Amino acid sequence: MATLKTGLLVTCDPTIRMYLLHLDRNDRSFIQLEIDDTHLLIDDSSREYLVHKIDELHRSNTYILGESQK
Amino acid sequence: MYWKEIRKKQAGLISLLAVKHLARVVRPNQPRQNVKTQVGKSIFAFSNLLHKPKVQTPLKSDSGERQSLLAQFLSTFGTRIEGFYDNPYTVRGMFRFLTPLAKDYVFRLFFATSPCPLESLKQWSLPDPLSIRMHAEAIKRLDSFRIFQVLGPKGSKMVALSQYFRQHLVFALYNSDANLPVQHAPHHVPTLDQLQQYAQFRAAAPGPLHYRPCCLEAAAGKKQRALSLEDAPGATDQVELLVRLGLMRPVGAVAPSTSTATTPGPSPAPFSKRPAPSPSPPPPTPASGRYETTGEGYQFLLKRASTQLWTFMISYLKGFRVRPCLLLPGVVVAVWGRKVVCAPEDRTLVEALGFLFRLTMMTVGRPQEAAALTPTQMQVMRDLRAFGLIYQRKDGAAHFIPTPLVSVLALEGAAAPARPSSRPARRRCPGAARGGPTDLEQGWIVVESTTCPVPRAPCPVPRAPCPVPRAPCPVPRAPCPVPRVRLHGQRPARGHAWLFVQLQYRLPNLVVGSVTLESVRRALMFGITADQITSFLYQHAHPQQRLRRPVIPEAVRDQIFLWEAERNRLLFQRAAVFEGLPPPVHQAAVAFAREQGVLLCEVAAKGLLVVPEAEKGPVHAHIVDLMTRAAALPPQG
């Protein structure tokens, strides 16, 4: 049976996709449909949350100058 | 042939105008040699007016940005713009805003006695794509400013120069002096340095520019994210202005996604003591009285001072339009045989805009007679004092003096108007005259990559590990493996480079900082783009740095763009997904979507098809059609 869904299409690389799947399972469910390796359909309201989470991930991976001297 | 004749006439008239101009300048008893020099000077002045010397443009989009600011503002008036050219200074100011090619076209049409076919204008450009694009841009700009008038039916359009524009352009050619005559010289005239200090004081005291360095910076600072009105008493007007421009917002308010600094909403004149008659709603006052800088605010900080000032000016003019106290009766004017009525509020705006343009042409530091101003102009002059553009000893004084800030307003592209300046910094940097920060935005930037040689001892730069893996340096002794930015000048922080630079230390005339992943990421989170950062570095490059090719080291530039790309690893888009389509329908639907150019992705195994939500209508109809047809067919086998 054919169906029609609307939502927010996320285009990303496979690495980030794995991170999003991890978030979906462990933190908060937001994925509506896994389309393929680089595309996901998510809830409209999750955009800010994802941007925030990705920023957090980057921050944890960033070496901050001068922090090691403290 | 026709155009050749016009070109000849044009050359003839230029020298004629020069000689006529000379006739007024040269006294009869002057020695012959002096006359020759003056002829040379006058012709030089006119040829300068026509063909400005090509200068290095500091920022490719900046001039265009101010043009579009003004064009956007003027486009709200539709055909009424023609009435705006009923002022020689507006005409001259608008002429300055045009690109060199558009200026050339204006002069070509200047000598055409009758309207020319639009088709024949295409012959003016060379057939290569770049020339055609520049030609199209020039024509579009001239049309949007209504300097061209397009007449006739669609098939055979004719183009002519706007009547007022033509009329006042002659005046602009004849009268290069925009100063107001002074009958009684004032006793005390402040020096240029004093005026400079005054303008800077105004920029650091109540006034909208105050909120460039103060409000926006304070709110943009890392520790103090929000500005409280209690910290800045008497700043309500200015904060309101910034909120209206979308540069700040009350804490907790949702950022408007579409509003930008270039499309400010209607705002009443912010510096009028009188209550503004505009019924525009006041900005929402948060209970905490705290405001924060928006993404547009951060981007605004990185723009050139002249663009910032023009944003404020246009906002001011928008508010000026609705003042009823200065309304004059409507004036009927004839343009190309049509009757155009200048609306009463337009009339005052025409006068205000004309005065603003005239101000940009006045000599900085020379006293002007205030009594020669009309009531409207007087009102504008008083309001502009709050912006620091004008110095007046006291309210109601007989003279007013344009401050050096005026030249920032007049700055077009890189061609700063000649202005007496005796600042030693300018003399040391000969490149300063060819574009770069003005006195008011002092500070040069030198960007060095990791691979540039640095003296080993005594090393002023602390050792720091590389934030990202890099290729080994060709100079093994380079002790600082991060892109470094050196900021020269007395007040380098004025350049707002701190938005994306991690400052390391400050010397009397030098500030050293690093562009690190963290600092750039912070800027990206504020909404600043990598393109803006590199443009800013380019625009404020030190004259010596400007001589390098490329101006900004490729390693630094590419790294900033890579950091931006890293952050934009997620792309969001509203989409509609068709799921579970039978294989034949899926195949036909994918072919249809691909043909329409709306296919985002498809998975044949799951029968999935994704299209943008806005485009789903035709695809949906097509799929329904396919499904009905498939159902109508008898089952095979």
Side-chain angles (χ1 to χ4, degrees):
Chain A
M1 184 60 198
T3 52
L4 173 61
K5 278 182 186 169
T6 54
L8 213 51
L9 180 74
V10 182
T11 311
C12 57
D13 50 90
T15 325
I16 287 287
R17 178 176 176 273
M18 290 312 291
Y19 181 64
L20 296 189
L21 291 180
H22 164 79
L23 283 179
D24 184 57
R25 276 177 212 134
N26 300 321
D27 194 25
R28 162 182 161 176
S29 175
F30 57 88
I31 294 179
Q32 284 188 24
L33 187 66
E34 293 174 37
I35 296 169
D36 59 9
D37 282 352
T38 53
H39 293 93
L40 292 170
L41 192 73
I42 62 163
D43 297 337
D44 285 340
S45 54
S46 309
R47 184 181 178 147
E48 293 298 316
Y49 165 75
L50 284 190
V51 170
H52 173 71
K53 278 289 180 188
I54 295 289
D55 268 339
E56 257 184 16
L57 177 70
H58 280 156
R59 192 176 295 128
S60 65
N61 288 336
T62 307
Y63 177 85
I64 297 173
L65 200 67
E67 207 171 59
S68 63
Q69 294 161 6
K70 283 176 192 170
Chain B
M1 199 58 201
Y2 178 63
W3 293 116
K4 267 188 189 169
E5 277 183 17
I6 283 186
R7 293 294 283 190
K8 267 188 205 168
K9 274 190 193 171
Q10 185 176 338
L13 192 107
I14 291 161
S15 43
L16 181 75
L17 284 172
V19 172
K20 276 190 179 175
H21 176 71
L22 188 72
R24 293 187 303 127
V25 175
V26 179
R27 286 188 295 277
N29 56 354
Q30 242 173 347
R32 198 178 167 76
Q33 201 173 357
N34 277 3
V35 174
K36 260 190 185 173
T37 326
Q38 293 238 11
V39 171
K41 270 185 189 167
S42 285
I43 290 180
F44 178 72
F46 278 107
S47 60
N48 254 356
L49 187 64
L50 290 181
H51 303 286
K52 287 212 147 198
K54 197 172 168 64
V55 286
Q56 194 183 2
T57 315
L59 179 59
K60 56 184 186 298
S61 63
D62 190 63
S63 174
E65 193 172 356
R66 265 172 294 135
Q67 273 191 14
S68 61
L69 268 178
L70 204 64
Q72 211 168 30
F73 170 60
L74 291 180
S75 65
T76 54
F77 296 94
T79 50
R80 278 148 58 201
I81 298 182
E82 285 158 17
F84 278 61
Y85 296 132
D86 190 14
N87 186 310
Y89 298 101
T90 309
V91 167
R92 205 168 138 196
M94 294 299 285
F95 187 75
R96 278 185 177 185
F97 265 93
L98 297 176
T99 58
L101 191 68
K103 283 178 188 169
D104 192 49
Y105 286 0
V106 166
F107 272 106
R108 284 182 187 212
L109 278 181
F110 187 78
F111 297 95
T113 45
S114 57
C116 311
L118 190 60
E119 285 298 310
S120 69
L121 261 63
K122 283 181 185 162
Q123 295 168 8
W124 290 353
S125 78
L126 292 171
D128 60 296
L130 181 69
S131 303
I132 290 175
R133 197 161 52 89
M134 284 171 68
H135 169 83
E137 271 175 22
I139 297 283
K140 190 182 157 202
R141 188 58 76 193
L142 288 169
D143 188 36
S144 70
F145 281 155
R146 305 264 168 184
I147 293 171
F148 275 9
Q149 289 200 318
V150 183
L151 313 162
K154 198 179 180 185
S156 56
K157 276 189 175 169
M158 309 287 274
V159 175
L161 209 60
S162 164
Q163 191 198 13
Y164 279 138
F165 200 86
R166 178 197 296 266
Q167 188 183 329
H168 289 299
L169 198 58
V170 177
F171 180 85
L173 285 172
Y174 271 108
N175 300 281
S176 55
D177 191 10
N179 293 306
L180 291 162
V182 177
Q183 286 175 353
H184 306 288
H187 297 299
H188 171 69
V189 180
T191 63
L192 274 177
D193 278 343
Q194 284 170 335
L195 282 174
Q196 178 94 26
Q197 280 173 8
Y198 168 79
Q200 277 176 359
F201 166 75
R202 276 291 187 184
L209 291 182
H210 167 49
Y211 291 94
R212 237 172 8 112
C214 178
C215 275
L216 291 175
E217 272 180 24
K222 208 176 171 185
K223 288 173 186 167
Q224 190 192 354
R225 278 282 169 88
L227 172 95
S228 175
L229 278 183
E230 291 153 16
D231 302 342
T236 325
D237 277 357
Q238 288 82 4
V239 171
E240 271 180 25
L241 175 72
L242 289 168
V243 170
R244 285 209 171 85
L245 285 170
L247 304 179
M248 295 187 83
R249 65 164 177 255
V251 174
V254 181
S257 56
T258 50
S259 84
T260 62
T262 52
T263 54
S267 63
F271 303 106
S272 166
K273 299 287 179 208
R274 276 165 281 176
S278 162
S280 57
T285 311
S288 59
R290 294 176 76 79
Y291 291 85
E292 62 185 352
T293 310
T294 62
E296 283 88 29
Y298 291 112
Q299 295 181 11
F300 185 79
L301 286 175
L302 289 187
K303 287 180 183 165
R304 280 183 76 89
S306 54
T307 309
Q308 294 178 341
L309 207 49
W310 267 109
T311 308
F312 286 130
M313 283 299 119
I314 284 173
S315 164
Y316 166 71
L317 287 174
K318 279 187 174 180
F320 191 82
R321 186 163 48 134
V322 288
R323 290 190 188 183
C325 50
L326 294 164
L327 293 192
L328 300 174
V331 178
V332 181
V333 292
V335 179
W336 284 105
R338 282 183 291 138
K339 294 265 178 185
V340 175
V341 181
C342 276
E345 68 268 24
D346 273 10
R347 198 66 209 161
T348 55
L349 187 61
V350 167
E351 221 176 327
L353 189 64
F355 180 68
L356 193 62
F357 274 126
R358 182 171 191 171
L359 188 67
T360 64
M361 294 163 206
M362 289 178 181
T363 311
V364 170
R366 185 196 275 193
Q368 316 281 339
E369 188 86 44
L373 298 178
T374 63
T376 314
Q377 291 172 339
M378 188 74 87
Q379 180 61 46
V380 177
M381 190 266 287
R382 280 193 193 130
D383 287 345
L384 292 188
R385 280 188 314 202
F387 288 88
L389 286 165
I390 283 177
Y391 168 80
Q392 205 178 12
R393 197 168 57 80
K394 61 178 183 187
D395 196 20
H399 300 92
F400 69 94
I401 303 173
T403 69
L405 203 58
V406 165
S407 58
V408 175
L409 198 64
L411 203 71
E412 43 172 344
R419 144 177 61 116
S421 172
S422 58
R423 302 187 74 79
R426 296 298 289 265
R427 265 191 260 132
R428 276 207 305 275
C429 305
R434 296 188 296 116
T438 59
D439 288 353
L440 281 165
E441 38 177 349
Q442 271 180 16
W444 308 102
I445 294 180
V446 178
V447 187
E448 291 169 3
S449 74
T450 54
T451 53
C452 85
V454 173
R456 176 124 176 101
C459 174
V461 184
R463 281 161 183 275
C466 191
V468 285
R470 282 172 176 280
C473 296
V475 181
R477 287 186 169 184
C480 178
V482 285
R484 277 194 322 282
V485 175
R486 282 196 279 155
L487 311 169
H488 282 275
Q490 296 293 313
R491 301 178 60 192
R494 182 148 196 116
H496 305 299
W498 52 268
L499 276 173
F500 56 88
V501 173
Q502 189 167 357
L503 295 182
Q504 290 181 337
Y505 51 84
R506 189 183 285 261
L507 300 173
N509 66 343
L510 184 74
V511 176
V512 179
S514 301
V515 177
T516 63
L517 172 58
E518 178 60 20
S519 67
V520 171
R521 233 170 51 76
R522 196 178 66 222
L524 292 173
M525 283 168 76
F526 286 154
I528 298 167
T529 64
D531 201 32
Q532 282 171 330
I533 294 177
T534 48
S535 300
F536 182 84
L537 291 176
Y538 183 75
Q539 187 187 311
H540 292 83
H542 191 276
Q544 289 296 321
Q545 169 117 16
R546 232 164 236 276
L547 300 177
R548 295 184 198 166
R549 288 291 174 272
V551 176
I552 301 183
E554 270 178 14
V556 177
R557 191 177 171 281
D558 289 353
Q559 191 60 62
I560 292 174
F561 275 96
L562 280 175
W563 283 333
E564 187 191 39
E566 189 186 42
R567 189 164 181 273
N568 297 337
R569 279 171 88 175
L570 292 183
L571 288 178
F572 296 95
Q573 190 176 9
R574 299 268 322 154
V577 180
F578 297 94
E579 197 184 359
L581 298 176
V585 175
H586 179 262
Q587 214 174 352
V590 166
F592 176 77
R594 192 168 281 142
E595 194 181 295
Q596 301 281 318
V598 296
L599 181 69
L600 288 178
C601 71
E602 51 101 9
V603 183
K606 298 182 194 167
L608 283 175
L609 169 64
V610 188
V611 294
E613 195 181 10
E615 313 286 343
K616 77 174 180 191
V619 181
H620 187 245
H622 189 74
I623 287 175
V624 169
D625 187 34
L626 285 170
M627 299 280 274
T628 358
R629 263 196 256 163
L633 284 177
Q636 286 178 358

